[in-house]
Amino acid sequence: MTGLLSTGVERGADALDGPLRRLHAQCREVAPSFREVGVALDRDPDSIRDFLHLPAFGVLGQVFTPPEYQTGDLVVDAFDPTCTALCVVLEALSHGDPGAILAGPGAGLCRDVVRELGDDAQREQFFGRVDDGPTWTFFGLTEPGKGSAALELDTRLTPAPDGDGWLLHGEKKYIGNGARAQIGVVFCRRAPGPWGIEAVVVDPSAEGFSGELLPMVGLRGARISHLRFDAVRVPADRVLGRHRTPSRRGIYGALHALLRFRPGLGAMTLGLTQAACDYLAEHRPVLPKADQARVDALLDRIAAVRRMMYDVAADVDRGVVNAHRIGTVKMRAAQLGERATLLAAELLGPASLIEHPWLEKAYRDLRAFEFMEGTSNLHRLSVFQGLLKSDYFPAAGHADAPRH
Amino acid sequence: MSYPALLDALHDRTAGDHLVASASGVVIASGESIAGDHPLTRFGLGVGRRDPDDPLVLERFADGLLDLHRQLLRRGIDHAVEHLNGRTSGDTTLLDRQLVQASLADVAVEIRESEALRPDDPASRWRAHQGLTAAGRLLLTLLGASSFLVTGPGGELHLAEVTGNVYLHPGEEDR
């Protein structure tokens, strides 16, 4: 069972055009190999290197490397790196395993912040490093006492006493690939206020940098980590966007990257959620009518959130970045994911979480999407703010004007 | 006391001379009681198999599991209050937020109501388990990424959910 309609895409993806459907089909073809990767990573997160030859990782390289820096052979047809394409790829590959995506090397979430803020030399340095063999990166925003509230971060950037660049002090927690990465971006405070936040490129081999792996319930391949910076030296040319005004770098870069990636996180959630439903259909093809109705109701909702996801992705691609609507997609996808695995575990019968190891893993993994990039409560509050600003519901008959 | 240790104590109180096996023949206990390699091993649990126990034994064990689940939730509330009191947003703690307070209250109410349910057959025990599972998931939404640590409420509640799936699921006919 694949959940695919005769059109080759899932319900709710009907609006995708021909090239994106082809991209979807190509990704779904290589996605099953991620199942084995996901299971192996759950046992040993360091086993990722055994699988990097798989074509699915090549697809990720295409997604997370800006076209001008791509050097390897293309695995799937070349495509514009739009938000819509990101959603297509990430949902399709997550039907295999989202943990494999998060475990993989590449620029990941750093892609957009470096591409947007970096000058030519910084982009060349960062993407050149990422292209130089398997290179893992991290996006250092979340802090122990503050979560991912970008405006409230405490990690400090102070001038080096010898006048040579800056020193980084503080800590970041729950950072994907933090303890494995060879390069990363850290958001930190140079001065009070929102424009006092900077994004700096950090080399984990620098003195004063330490990373510790955290014991997580699921998505173990992501190697979620606790990072500490004890006067880590940051050369002056590693401050991203140093050629820009303060209002167009640090915090701007964080929000730029997060909001453009967030529909993709929804896509990853939907991919695994759909996979859980497909797994149930494969193992219980015939259900009592009342139970089938519960599954159908869930599938209706998954299709609805998928439509909403492609709507917000299309908005992003035309320059409309509505945080309230984007957050809705991420939040609802995460909630549906938990519902899907709870329902599958119930309908597959007693001890299903022992007899179906893949389901038990998906059951754990899907819980992570509740808190990644903001908890549901945070996104609820954002929806409320959107209502106050009359910015949540699109005006009837009027497309929102682009805002960057 | 960790969940695996609490579970072992429940096995001991219920059956005394052996580990209780579910109706499907699966046994879950601490990793000290059941050795082996299983995804639950890193959570401190082991999985075994043997002939199912007598229904009366299973009923007593099921009631004990529901008690354990409520105990974990109460511990989780204490953990959440401390955690959220130490987290700030703007000029206040997260614990001061109405949304957070209401969610903690909902979890507490579910625990109280669950204690009063007094389930007396497999179907009603399963429904009680589902209520506690939903309360646990609500509690975890308040803990952000820390809800995903093995060493905390998120890890323990996962074990309670899996154990309930094994011992409390009544099967198709009784559900």
Side-chain angles (χ1 to χ4, degrees), chain B residues 83-123:
Chain B
H83 174 80
L84 295 164
N85 206 27
R87 294 286 301 268
T88 55
S89 172
D91 55 1
T92 185
T93 68
L94 291 183
L95 193 61
D96 276 339
R97 301 278 182 180
Q98 207 170 30
L99 185 67
V100 169
Q101 293 169 351
S103 294
L104 281 170
D106 283 342
V107 177
V109 168
E110 174 60 28
I111 295 170
R112 290 280 295 153
E113 201 168 296
S114 173
E115 284 166 352
L117 272 177
R118 311 280 169 84
D120 57 2
D121 61 25

Side-chain angles (χ1 to χ4, degrees), chain A residues 357-378:
Chain A
W358 180 84
L359 178 65
E360 191 272 334
K361 179 182 168 307
Y363 188 94
R364 281 184 281 121
D365 287 350
L366 267 164
R367 273 182 42 201
F369 294 98
E370 154 60 28
F371 62 81
M372 288 168 77
E373 290 215 21
T375 63
S376 290
N377 279 341
L378 212 132

Side-chain angles (χ1 to χ4, degrees), chain B residues 39-81:
Chain B
L40 291 175
T41 305
R42 70 187 176 91
F43 292 85
L45 288 187
V47 177
R49 290 175 196 275
R50 61 174 200 77
D51 289 341
D53 263 279
D54 179 85
L56 287 175
V57 172
L58 287 175
E59 274 182 23
R60 287 206 309 277
F61 193 70
D63 287 336
L65 284 178
L66 291 170
D67 278 341
L68 271 190
H69 205 153
R70 284 187 287 266
Q71 198 175 324
L72 291 189
L73 283 170
R74 290 192 62 164
R75 238 159 52 179
I77 289 177
D78 292 343
H79 173 94
V81 166

Side-chain angles (χ1 to χ4, degrees), chain A residues 83 255-256 258-263 308-309 311-331 373 379-395 398-404:
Chain A
C83 188
L255 296 177
H256 179 91
L258 289 171
L259 288 172
R260 279 158 183 76
F261 183 73
R262 200 162 289 159
M308 290 159 62
M309 173 185 77
D311 281 349
V312 298
D315 281 349
V316 168
D317 290 334
R318 65 187 183 87
V320 175
V321 182
N322 185 306
H324 321 298
R325 294 179 211 155
I326 292 172
T328 299
V329 169
K330 184 264 162 190
M331 171 181 77
E373 290 215 21
H379 292 299
R380 277 195 190 90
L381 293 173
S382 171
V383 169
F384 174 68
Q385 292 300 320
L387 291 175
L388 286 185
K389 292 189 290 181
S390 300
D391 194 26
Y392 186 65
F393 297 111
H398 293 87
D400 296 316
R403 285 168 297 176
H404 296 275

Side-chain angles (χ1 to χ4, degrees), chain A residues 43 145-147 152 174 215-218 220 284 288 291 338 346 351-353 355 360 363-364 367-368 371, chain B residues 37 42 49 87-90 130 137 140 142 144-150 154 158 161 165-166 169 172 175:
Chain A
R43 297 175 70 89
K146 301 287 186 182
E152 300 184 22
Y174 307 117
M216 304 310 271
V217 168
R220 297 187 74 210
R284 283 291 308 272
D291 287 335
E338 291 197 42
E346 179 184 338
S352 56
L353 292 175
E355 309 296 359
E360 191 272 334
Y363 188 94
R364 281 184 281 121
R367 273 182 42 201
F371 62 81
Chain B
D37 183 23
R42 70 187 176 91
R49 290 175 196 275
R87 294 286 301 268
T88 55
S89 172
Q130 288 180 307
R137 295 292 178 110
L140 295 178
L142 302 176
S146 72
S147 70
F148 213 46
L149 288 168
V150 170
H158 177 65
E161 290 184 22
N165 172 263
V166 169
H169 195 305
E172 179 115 331
R175 190 161 48 84

